[in-house]
Amino acid sequence: PENWDLAWERLQKTSIILERDSLLTALGCTKDSNLLSKYLELSVDPTSTIRDQNKRYVYLAIGGSKLGSQLMLDWLETNWESIKEFYGDTFVYNVKNMVSLYPETANTQEEWDRLNAFLTAHRGELGSSAVVVDQGLDKISANIKWRNNFYEQVMQWFVNNSP
């Protein structure tokens, strides 16, 4: 938490675009779920210094890990109405950034079911982001199929070829 707070403080002070973008991404890479939750809340805090055009970096950084993508989907579902109200006309765009990386690490039927339930519950409000979620379901299906067909063989290969 100490390093995260230090990076957050630095973000508040920097005027260098490259440094700001790097810090926005780095803050979302923590494995601490409390800090990820805090970062998500800061992204929709009207007093936050995270600029609207940079929220994409926040969501993609958080969504880049299995923990982060699952946490963000929980957060999105739990706070759906307030997030929708906060973003207004840019809601669909921001939701796309929030859910687009979930399928990258999802490879179980439970994860497919979860995203499908999300799509079913919110399809009417997702607009063009529904396509991203549909494509995500296809990706998860492919991940499940790969895991069912090759996971054991690959793991056995590693066991047989490890020093």
Side-chain angles (χ1 to χ4, degrees), residues 68-133:
S69 64
Q70 291 177 346
L71 185 78
M72 189 158 34
L73 190 56
D74 286 341
W75 173 77
L76 178 59
E77 287 188 288
T78 301
N79 301 290
W80 182 265
E81 289 303 321
S82 61
I83 295 168
K84 188 175 160 187
E85 183 180 325
F86 177 81
Y87 279 115
D89 292 343
T90 63
F91 176 70
V92 169
Y93 170 78
N94 283 287
V95 167
K96 177 185 71 115
N97 291 319
M98 291 175 200
V99 300
S100 65
L101 292 180
Y102 179 84
E104 296 300 317
T105 59
N107 58 17
T108 66
Q109 187 62 47
E110 293 78 20
E111 291 166 325
W112 188 94
D113 291 343
R114 182 173 184 209
L115 191 60
N116 189 52
F118 172 80
L119 178 61
T120 301
H122 301 292
R123 183 181 288 278
E125 300 168 281
L126 285 171
S128 60
S129 290
V131 173
V132 172
V133 178

Side-chain angles (χ1 to χ4, degrees), residues 21-61:
D21 292 350
S22 295
L23 287 166
L24 285 164
T25 300
L27 287 164
C29 294
T30 180
K31 292 179 175 135
D32 184 325
S33 60
N34 291 326
L35 291 174
L36 290 173
S37 294
K38 177 180 179 178
Y39 201 26
L40 287 168
E41 289 303 321
L42 286 167
S43 76
V44 293
D45 180 341
T47 64
S48 173
T49 56
I50 303 171
R51 296 174 4 185
D52 288 343
Q53 64 266 34
N54 294 329
K55 302 227 173 140
R56 173 178 188 269
Y57 299 116
V58 172
Y59 299 134
L60 293 176

Side-chain angles (χ1 to χ4, degrees), residues 4-30:
W4 195 93
D5 290 334
L6 184 65
W8 177 255
E9 287 174 29
R10 181 68 192 150
L11 178 64
Q12 307 314 300
K13 297 174 183 169
T14 189
S15 60
I16 302 167
I17 294 171
L18 185 58
E19 181 180 24
R20 184 191 63 230
D21 292 350
S22 295
L23 287 166
L24 285 164
T25 300
L27 287 164
C29 294
T30 180

